[in-house]
Amino acid sequence: MPAVIVDCAIYRDGRRSDGPADFSDALAEARATGDAFLWLGLHEATTHEFDLVSSEFGLHPLAVEDALTAHQRPKLEIYDDSLFMVLKPVLYDDEHDIVTSGELMVFVGDSFVVTVRHGEGAPLTDVRQRLEAEPEVLKHGPTAVLYAVSDAIVDHYIEVAGELQVDLEELEEEVFAPSGGDGGSGSSGSRRGPGPKIRSGSVTPTAERIYNFKRQVMEFRRATGPLAAPMARLAGPGVPFVDTGSQPFFRDVNDHLLHANEQVDGLDRLLSDILAAHLAQMGVRQNDDMRKISAWAAMAAVPTLVAGIYGMNFAYMPELGYVWAYPAVLAFMAVVVFGLHRAFKRRGWL
């Protein structure tokens, strides 16, 4: 168990107090005094390791199964002896521009809080230290821990959304650059947009980078979207194991979450528009290329036709008996090709 226990402490009147090293004894002491609660933090506990915790704290088997299995959607479930909430913190890899999500399960009871963390996201050390520095908040008991954890995760959502917005603006500039986002002179150098640009010595196509960006936004949406309903429920009255005066604080967290969800929706819409604009640009460029190819083919067709006719080796053909016939035919082909070139140039085909 010590390998998975990140921290275990008793809090009385908003301040951390010394207590038994064993969490079973610490829980018994917190319940005996009535004015204290235990905060037990676990990281990636196995089934065997979590059995003792679930039996000591009286956790519901379904909630225990969710906490051990992970891969859960954000949700809030209320049982007879505890409240169970699932949060999905996100991490943003600035070097590779990848969004990854972890999972954080929070059990809240009458005199305890158990946090179970999966993945590398949402280290709760900073949250615990910040709460310990604010005893006026921490004296509200387990509700203060649930609020602080939710607030920290949702605030980080907004930070990640801001990072993605910066990347999206850079990608947008690249797509609408004169090079059209094809990796020309207008799209190299300082770019740090979504996904590595250079791979195996070649330039990653813009459409692929946009698609990779949409995958990151989708991963982000899986964390923020389903959390709206649980947070709205916490912001309302009548939730067991939640302090009755905490609704304004959870409403503030809910407002931040709505802001994060709006940012995610905006990112997704802009990505769809950028992808559509890029595909339209590709279509226009292909049409330009086809016009150029058609123009050059038309200019090559005239001398090919004339040379083909005079290459049929008939005995009687026009102008074969004149000395100036050969240069005249060459001049005729040159004049026609020049005239076609001027006409295509005027129309913008070349």
Side-chain angles (χ1 to χ4, degrees):
M1 285 300 297
V4 300
I5 295 178
V6 179
D7 200 349
C8 178
I10 296 176
Y11 295 89
R12 182 177 290 104
D13 195 26
R15 300 185 183 279
R16 183 166 182 152
S17 61
D18 295 332
D22 183 78
F23 69 85
S24 300
D25 297 335
L27 177 62
E29 179 178 325
R31 283 176 169 169
T33 57
D35 61 346
F37 72 95
L38 174 69
W39 184 357
L40 175 65
L42 305 176
H43 181 224
E44 295 186 349
T46 64
T47 303
H48 176 71
E49 293 166 335
F50 203 70
D51 283 342
L52 181 58
V53 176
S54 61
S55 62
E56 288 292 333
F57 287 86
L59 305 179
H60 196 279
L62 292 178
V64 172
E65 181 182 356
D66 290 343
L68 292 174
T69 305
H71 304 294
Q72 304 293 321
R73 286 166 53 90
K75 61 181 179 179
L76 175 66
E77 296 182 353
I78 299 173
Y79 299 99
D80 294 336
D81 299 325
S82 63
L83 179 149
F84 176 64
M85 188 169 185
V86 179
L87 299 161
K88 291 184 74 69
V90 296
L91 283 177
Y92 181 72
D93 186 348
D94 188 63
E95 181 179 355
H96 301 94
D97 302 304
I98 296 176
V99 175
T100 57
S101 62
E103 291 192 36
L104 178 64
M105 286 72 172
V106 183
F107 295 88
V108 177
D110 54 351
S111 56
F112 68 86
V113 176
V114 178
T115 55
V116 184
R117 181 163 57 92
H118 293 269
E120 298 302 322
L124 299 180
T125 303
D126 294 340
V127 177
R128 190 185 288 260
Q129 291 175 350
R130 188 163 59 249
L131 274 177
E132 291 176 354
E134 300 177 357
E136 291 299 321
V137 177
L138 195 55
K139 68 168 51 177
H140 290 282
T143 301
V145 177
L146 180 62
Y147 158 72
V149 170
S150 303
D151 185 58
I153 291 176
V154 171
D155 284 346
H156 192 60
Y157 287 163
I158 297 178
E159 296 177 8
V160 173
E163 294 283 350
L164 290 175
Q165 183 66 40
V166 172
D167 286 349
L168 179 62
E169 291 173 358
E170 294 179 357
L171 180 61
E172 188 176 16
E173 291 178 1
E174 180 180 335
V175 169
F176 291 103
S179 62
D182 285 335
S185 59
S187 60
S188 60
S190 62
R191 179 193 171 274
R192 71 170 195 91
K197 181 180 177 183
I198 304 299
R199 185 181 61 189
S200 300
S202 63
V203 180
T204 305
T206 301
E208 182 180 345
R209 293 200 298 275
I210 297 175
Y211 176 76
N212 289 336
F213 201 149
K214 286 184 73 70
R215 288 182 62 88
Q216 306 311 314
V217 173
M218 182 180 297
E219 181 69 21
F220 194 14
R221 186 192 292 273
R222 291 195 186 103
T224 63
L227 186 59
M231 199 55 62
R233 188 175 182 184
L234 287 173
V239 180
F241 306 103
V242 175
D243 190 88
T244 55
S246 64
Q247 281 76 27
F249 299 97
F250 284 109
R251 280 199 296 269
D252 180 69
V253 177
N254 189 44
D255 289 341
H256 292 175
L257 179 62
L258 292 176
H259 178 57
N261 280 323
E262 289 174 355
Q263 287 182 291
V264 174
D265 292 339
L267 289 170
D268 190 58
R269 287 194 299 269
L270 284 174
L271 277 171
S272 298
D273 294 342
I274 291 174
L275 180 59
H278 174 67
L279 295 177
Q281 284 181 331
M282 293 295 294
V284 170
R285 259 195 308 274
Q286 289 175 353
N287 289 336
D288 290 341
D289 293 340
M290 289 301 299
R291 283 201 299 251
K292 291 178 182 179
I293 293 173
S294 299
W296 286 109
M299 287 187 292
V302 174
T304 301
L305 175 63
V306 175
I309 292 174
Y310 277 90
M312 290 189 292
N313 297 323
F314 288 114
Y316 302 99
M317 296 184 69
E319 315 301 341
L320 290 181
Y322 298 99
V323 177
W324 47 264
Y326 182 70
V329 172
L330 292 179
F332 170 76
M333 290 189 292
V335 169
V336 172
V337 171
F338 179 75
L340 290 174
H341 186 274
R342 288 293 301 274
F344 290 136
K345 195 77 172 178
R346 195 180 307 114
R347 289 176 175 269
W349 285 34
L350 292 175

